[in-house]
Amino acid sequence: MSQLSRLISILTLLKSKRLLTATELAEKYDVSVRTIYRDIRKLEDAGVPVYTIEGRGYSLMDHYTVAPVQFTEKQANALITAQHIVSQSKDASFVNDFNDALTKIKSVFKSSVQEKSELLHDKIHVFNWTFEEFSSNALSEIQLAITNFNYVEINYKKANDYKVSIRKIEPYAMYSTNHKWILIAYCHLRKEMRSFRIDRIEQYKILHEKFEDRKFNIQDYFSYSPYKH
């Protein structure tokens, strides 16, 4: 990869991710950290507002814009394929938000790429072999609660239990398995970490009250924690 191509790629990454380290960039492009330092200086010299967060990495100044990104046909096809997979989700809010985002992304496709992506769309089908009577419409809002550290109040119904319990939770992370989204949260009713199926949350309310960032790490959680709800 030429230096110019690498600089354009680094700029694209900086626009798509809030923070990048020199080590991450060096490993991605298979160059030395010193080379990345020089690349960052080149971007700064060109007027790109890259700033260094001491001990953490590089970021771009807010509201800085670059020319629209060009997608290759393979990249466009990957997005179309992802759309079919996402459509199998049982959460309406997630599907709708993804489709809205993809519409905006497709608006920057070259006409030739757009035509072929539409052709591929009609030639893909993803079968859902699992039957699931439950669905949800809370995923998008709960994702916002996770990233903004908002408490959530939920009415939750466990499997094989007609009773509904009211819980105040701190939502930390989520994962998907067998077309079901699972929320990992601290439950103030049970005074411990619990997992909740999103489709079993009958009602929810995102509270204005915020909880402290606990620096939750989902990999660490899976390494030693049993699933509870």
PDB file of all heavy atoms in Angstrom, residues 53-73:
ATOM      1  N   ILE A  53      -4.802  12.378  22.235  1.00  0.00           N
ATOM      2  CA  ILE A  53      -5.235  12.276  23.626  1.00  0.00           C
ATOM      3  C   ILE A  53      -4.138  11.522  24.354  1.00  0.00           C
ATOM      4  O   ILE A  53      -3.914  10.332  24.108  1.00  0.00           O
ATOM      5  CB  ILE A  53      -6.579  11.531  23.732  1.00  0.00           C
ATOM      6  CG1 ILE A  53      -7.644  12.255  22.903  1.00  0.00           C
ATOM      7  CG2 ILE A  53      -7.013  11.402  25.186  1.00  0.00           C
ATOM      8  CD1 ILE A  53      -8.975  11.558  22.868  1.00  0.00           C
ATOM      9  N   GLU A  54      -3.409  12.202  25.176  1.00  0.00           N
ATOM     10  CA  GLU A  54      -2.209  11.665  25.808  1.00  0.00           C
ATOM     11  C   GLU A  54      -2.469  10.304  26.451  1.00  0.00           C
ATOM     12  O   GLU A  54      -3.368  10.147  27.262  1.00  0.00           O
ATOM     13  CB  GLU A  54      -1.686  12.641  26.866  1.00  0.00           C
ATOM     14  CG  GLU A  54      -0.263  12.362  27.317  1.00  0.00           C
ATOM     15  CD  GLU A  54       0.755  12.538  26.201  1.00  0.00           C
ATOM     16  OE1 GLU A  54       0.574  13.445  25.366  1.00  0.00           O
ATOM     17  OE2 GLU A  54       1.723  11.756  26.170  1.00  0.00           O
ATOM     18  N   GLY A  55      -1.660   9.324  26.033  1.00  0.00           N
ATOM     19  CA  GLY A  55      -1.752   7.996  26.607  1.00  0.00           C
ATOM     20  C   GLY A  55      -2.892   7.153  26.086  1.00  0.00           C
ATOM     21  O   GLY A  55      -3.053   6.005  26.486  1.00  0.00           O
ATOM     22  N   ARG A  56      -3.708   7.706  25.149  1.00  0.00           N
ATOM     23  CA  ARG A  56      -4.867   6.957  24.659  1.00  0.00           C
ATOM     24  C   ARG A  56      -4.865   6.776  23.150  1.00  0.00           C
ATOM     25  O   ARG A  56      -5.173   5.705  22.658  1.00  0.00           O
ATOM     26  CB  ARG A  56      -6.164   7.649  25.100  1.00  0.00           C
ATOM     27  CG  ARG A  56      -6.381   7.645  26.614  1.00  0.00           C
ATOM     28  CD  ARG A  56      -7.701   8.300  26.965  1.00  0.00           C
ATOM     29  NE  ARG A  56      -8.828   7.590  26.377  1.00  0.00           N
ATOM     30  CZ  ARG A  56     -10.062   8.086  26.298  1.00  0.00           C
ATOM     31  NH1 ARG A  56     -10.314   9.302  26.768  1.00  0.00           N
ATOM     32  NH2 ARG A  56     -11.035   7.382  25.752  1.00  0.00           N
ATOM     33  N   GLY A  57      -4.525   7.811  22.400  1.00  0.00           N
ATOM     34  CA  GLY A  57      -4.482   7.651  20.952  1.00  0.00           C
ATOM     35  C   GLY A  57      -4.867   8.915  20.206  1.00  0.00           C
ATOM     36  O   GLY A  57      -4.758  10.027  20.723  1.00  0.00           O
ATOM     37  N   TYR A  58      -5.348   8.721  18.968  1.00  0.00           N
ATOM     38  CA  TYR A  58      -5.677   9.832  18.079  1.00  0.00           C
ATOM     39  C   TYR A  58      -7.180   9.907  17.836  1.00  0.00           C
ATOM     40  O   TYR A  58      -7.877   8.895  17.785  1.00  0.00           O
ATOM     41  CB  TYR A  58      -4.975   9.670  16.725  1.00  0.00           C
ATOM     42  CG  TYR A  58      -3.477   9.579  16.815  1.00  0.00           C
ATOM     43  CD1 TYR A  58      -2.821   8.381  16.552  1.00  0.00           C
ATOM     44  CD2 TYR A  58      -2.696  10.692  17.155  1.00  0.00           C
ATOM     45  CE1 TYR A  58      -1.450   8.279  16.627  1.00  0.00           C
ATOM     46  CE2 TYR A  58      -1.322  10.603  17.240  1.00  0.00           C
ATOM     47  CZ  TYR A  58      -0.690   9.395  16.980  1.00  0.00           C
ATOM     48  OH  TYR A  58       0.663   9.301  17.067  1.00  0.00           O
ATOM     49  N   SER A  59      -7.651  11.123  17.616  1.00  0.00           N
ATOM     50  CA  SER A  59      -9.043  11.327  17.298  1.00  0.00           C
ATOM     51  C   SER A  59      -9.162  12.527  16.369  1.00  0.00           C
ATOM     52  O   SER A  59      -8.205  13.290  16.197  1.00  0.00           O
ATOM     53  CB  SER A  59      -9.857  11.560  18.572  1.00  0.00           C
ATOM     54  OG  SER A  59     -11.238  11.585  18.290  1.00  0.00           O
ATOM     55  N   LEU A  60     -10.330  12.681  15.755  1.00  0.00           N
ATOM     56  CA  LEU A  60     -10.585  13.832  14.892  1.00  0.00           C
ATOM     57  C   LEU A  60     -11.453  14.845  15.619  1.00  0.00           C
ATOM     58  O   LEU A  60     -12.325  14.478  16.409  1.00  0.00           O
ATOM     59  CB  LEU A  60     -11.309  13.400  13.611  1.00  0.00           C
ATOM     60  CG  LEU A  60     -10.484  12.899  12.433  1.00  0.00           C
ATOM     61  CD1 LEU A  60     -11.423  12.589  11.265  1.00  0.00           C
ATOM     62  CD2 LEU A  60      -9.435  13.891  12.001  1.00  0.00           C
ATOM     63  N   MET A  61     -11.221  16.116  15.306  1.00  0.00           N
ATOM     64  CA  MET A  61     -12.052  17.164  15.883  1.00  0.00           C
ATOM     65  C   MET A  61     -13.499  16.961  15.442  1.00  0.00           C
ATOM     66  O   MET A  61     -13.766  16.586  14.298  1.00  0.00           O
ATOM     67  CB  MET A  61     -11.545  18.537  15.412  1.00  0.00           C
ATOM     68  CG  MET A  61     -12.226  19.725  16.062  1.00  0.00           C
ATOM     69  SD  MET A  61     -11.529  21.288  15.468  1.00  0.00           S
ATOM     70  CE  MET A  61      -9.857  21.164  16.127  1.00  0.00           C
ATOM     71  N   ASP A  62     -14.421  17.187  16.353  1.00  0.00           N
ATOM     72  CA  ASP A  62     -15.844  17.031  16.037  1.00  0.00           C
ATOM     73  C   ASP A  62     -16.244  17.903  14.850  1.00  0.00           C
ATOM     74  O   ASP A  62     -15.712  19.000  14.652  1.00  0.00           O
ATOM     75  CB  ASP A  62     -16.703  17.408  17.241  1.00  0.00           C
ATOM     76  CG  ASP A  62     -16.665  16.339  18.324  1.00  0.00           C
ATOM     77  OD1 ASP A  62     -16.235  15.210  18.026  1.00  0.00           O
ATOM     78  OD2 ASP A  62     -17.050  16.654  19.463  1.00  0.00           O
ATOM     79  N   HIS A  63     -17.198  17.396  14.060  1.00  0.00           N
ATOM     80  CA  HIS A  63     -17.801  18.109  12.934  1.00  0.00           C
ATOM     81  C   HIS A  63     -16.886  18.216  11.717  1.00  0.00           C
ATOM     82  O   HIS A  63     -17.254  18.863  10.732  1.00  0.00           O
ATOM     83  CB  HIS A  63     -18.280  19.516  13.342  1.00  0.00           C
ATOM     84  CG  HIS A  63     -19.116  19.543  14.576  1.00  0.00           C
ATOM     85  ND1 HIS A  63     -20.264  18.778  14.713  1.00  0.00           N
ATOM     86  CD2 HIS A  63     -18.960  20.195  15.761  1.00  0.00           C
ATOM     87  CE1 HIS A  63     -20.785  18.989  15.907  1.00  0.00           C
ATOM     88  NE2 HIS A  63     -20.021  19.825  16.564  1.00  0.00           N
ATOM     89  N   TYR A  64     -15.702  17.587  11.774  1.00  0.00           N
ATOM     90  CA  TYR A  64     -14.845  17.595  10.591  1.00  0.00           C
ATOM     91  C   TYR A  64     -15.421  16.623   9.574  1.00  0.00           C
ATOM     92  O   TYR A  64     -15.800  15.504   9.900  1.00  0.00           O
ATOM     93  CB  TYR A  64     -13.412  17.182  10.936  1.00  0.00           C
ATOM     94  CG  TYR A  64     -12.495  17.113   9.725  1.00  0.00           C
ATOM     95  CD1 TYR A  64     -12.042  18.273   9.114  1.00  0.00           C
ATOM     96  CD2 TYR A  64     -12.108  15.879   9.205  1.00  0.00           C
ATOM     97  CE1 TYR A  64     -11.207  18.213   8.004  1.00  0.00           C
ATOM     98  CE2 TYR A  64     -11.277  15.812   8.092  1.00  0.00           C
ATOM     99  CZ  TYR A  64     -10.837  16.983   7.502  1.00  0.00           C
ATOM    100  OH  TYR A  64     -10.018  16.912   6.402  1.00  0.00           O
ATOM    101  N   THR A  65     -15.531  17.041   8.323  1.00  0.00           N
ATOM    102  CA  THR A  65     -16.109  16.192   7.287  1.00  0.00           C
ATOM    103  C   THR A  65     -15.091  15.934   6.185  1.00  0.00           C
ATOM    104  O   THR A  65     -14.197  16.738   5.936  1.00  0.00           O
ATOM    105  CB  THR A  65     -17.356  16.842   6.656  1.00  0.00           C
ATOM    106  OG1 THR A  65     -16.995  18.117   6.092  1.00  0.00           O
ATOM    107  CG2 THR A  65     -18.448  17.043   7.699  1.00  0.00           C
ATOM    108  N   VAL A  66     -15.252  14.791   5.532  1.00  0.00           N
ATOM    109  CA  VAL A  66     -14.408  14.444   4.389  1.00  0.00           C
ATOM    110  C   VAL A  66     -15.332  14.100   3.229  1.00  0.00           C
ATOM    111  O   VAL A  66     -16.545  13.965   3.381  1.00  0.00           O
ATOM    112  CB  VAL A  66     -13.506  13.228   4.706  1.00  0.00           C
ATOM    113  CG1 VAL A  66     -12.511  13.579   5.782  1.00  0.00           C
ATOM    114  CG2 VAL A  66     -14.323  12.022   5.111  1.00  0.00           C
ATOM    115  N   ALA A  67     -14.754  13.950   2.064  1.00  0.00           N
ATOM    116  CA  ALA A  67     -15.539  13.598   0.884  1.00  0.00           C
ATOM    117  C   ALA A  67     -16.208  12.245   1.095  1.00  0.00           C
ATOM    118  O   ALA A  67     -15.707  11.405   1.833  1.00  0.00           O
ATOM    119  CB  ALA A  67     -14.624  13.558  -0.335  1.00  0.00           C
ATOM    120  N   PRO A  68     -17.356  12.022   0.469  1.00  0.00           N
ATOM    121  CA  PRO A  68     -18.055  10.736   0.637  1.00  0.00           C
ATOM    122  C   PRO A  68     -17.148   9.552   0.336  1.00  0.00           C
ATOM    123  O   PRO A  68     -16.347   9.582  -0.583  1.00  0.00           O
ATOM    124  CB  PRO A  68     -19.190  10.838  -0.386  1.00  0.00           C
ATOM    125  CG  PRO A  68     -19.414  12.298  -0.576  1.00  0.00           C
ATOM    126  CD  PRO A  68     -18.064  12.925  -0.434  1.00  0.00           C
ATOM    127  N   VAL A  69     -17.303   8.498   1.123  1.00  0.00           N
ATOM    128  CA  VAL A  69     -16.506   7.285   0.943  1.00  0.00           C
ATOM    129  C   VAL A  69     -17.048   6.510  -0.256  1.00  0.00           C
ATOM    130  O   VAL A  69     -18.255   6.403  -0.452  1.00  0.00           O
ATOM    131  CB  VAL A  69     -16.594   6.411   2.220  1.00  0.00           C
ATOM    132  CG1 VAL A  69     -15.887   5.084   2.007  1.00  0.00           C
ATOM    133  CG2 VAL A  69     -15.995   7.162   3.395  1.00  0.00           C
ATOM    134  N   GLN A  70     -16.144   5.972  -1.065  1.00  0.00           N
ATOM    135  CA  GLN A  70     -16.540   5.156  -2.199  1.00  0.00           C
ATOM    136  C   GLN A  70     -16.493   3.680  -1.817  1.00  0.00           C
ATOM    137  O   GLN A  70     -15.495   3.214  -1.267  1.00  0.00           O
ATOM    138  CB  GLN A  70     -15.610   5.413  -3.393  1.00  0.00           C
ATOM    139  CG  GLN A  70     -15.715   6.824  -3.962  1.00  0.00           C
ATOM    140  CD  GLN A  70     -17.110   7.100  -4.521  1.00  0.00           C
ATOM    141  OE1 GLN A  70     -17.680   6.268  -5.224  1.00  0.00           O
ATOM    142  NE2 GLN A  70     -17.650   8.269  -4.207  1.00  0.00           N
ATOM    143  N   PHE A  71     -17.565   2.951  -2.102  1.00  0.00           N
ATOM    144  CA  PHE A  71     -17.643   1.536  -1.785  1.00  0.00           C
ATOM    145  C   PHE A  71     -17.340   0.707  -3.026  1.00  0.00           C
ATOM    146  O   PHE A  71     -17.810   1.024  -4.120  1.00  0.00           O
ATOM    147  CB  PHE A  71     -19.040   1.175  -1.263  1.00  0.00           C
ATOM    148  CG  PHE A  71     -19.362   1.728   0.094  1.00  0.00           C
ATOM    149  CD1 PHE A  71     -19.879   3.016   0.236  1.00  0.00           C
ATOM    150  CD2 PHE A  71     -19.134   0.973   1.229  1.00  0.00           C
ATOM    151  CE1 PHE A  71     -20.168   3.523   1.488  1.00  0.00           C
ATOM    152  CE2 PHE A  71     -19.433   1.470   2.489  1.00  0.00           C
ATOM    153  CZ  PHE A  71     -19.940   2.748   2.614  1.00  0.00           C
ATOM    154  N   THR A  72     -16.577  -0.380  -2.828  1.00  0.00           N
ATOM    155  CA  THR A  72     -16.367  -1.328  -3.914  1.00  0.00           C
ATOM    156  C   THR A  72     -17.611  -2.205  -4.050  1.00  0.00           C
ATOM    157  O   THR A  72     -18.467  -2.234  -3.165  1.00  0.00           O
ATOM    158  CB  THR A  72     -15.154  -2.231  -3.650  1.00  0.00           C
ATOM    159  OG1 THR A  72     -15.437  -3.070  -2.513  1.00  0.00           O
ATOM    160  CG2 THR A  72     -13.897  -1.404  -3.358  1.00  0.00           C
ATOM    161  N   GLU A  73     -17.687  -2.926  -5.157  1.00  0.00           N
ATOM    162  CA  GLU A  73     -18.837  -3.800  -5.358  1.00  0.00           C
ATOM    163  C   GLU A  73     -18.896  -4.878  -4.282  1.00  0.00           C
ATOM    164  O   GLU A  73     -19.976  -5.209  -3.781  1.00  0.00           O
ATOM    165  CB  GLU A  73     -18.773  -4.445  -6.745  1.00  0.00           C
ATOM    166  CG  GLU A  73     -20.018  -5.245  -7.092  1.00  0.00           C
ATOM    167  CD  GLU A  73     -19.981  -5.814  -8.498  1.00  0.00           C
ATOM    168  OE1 GLU A  73     -19.191  -5.323  -9.321  1.00  0.00           O
ATOM    169  OE2 GLU A  73     -20.749  -6.759  -8.757  1.00  0.00           O
TER     170      GLU A  73
END
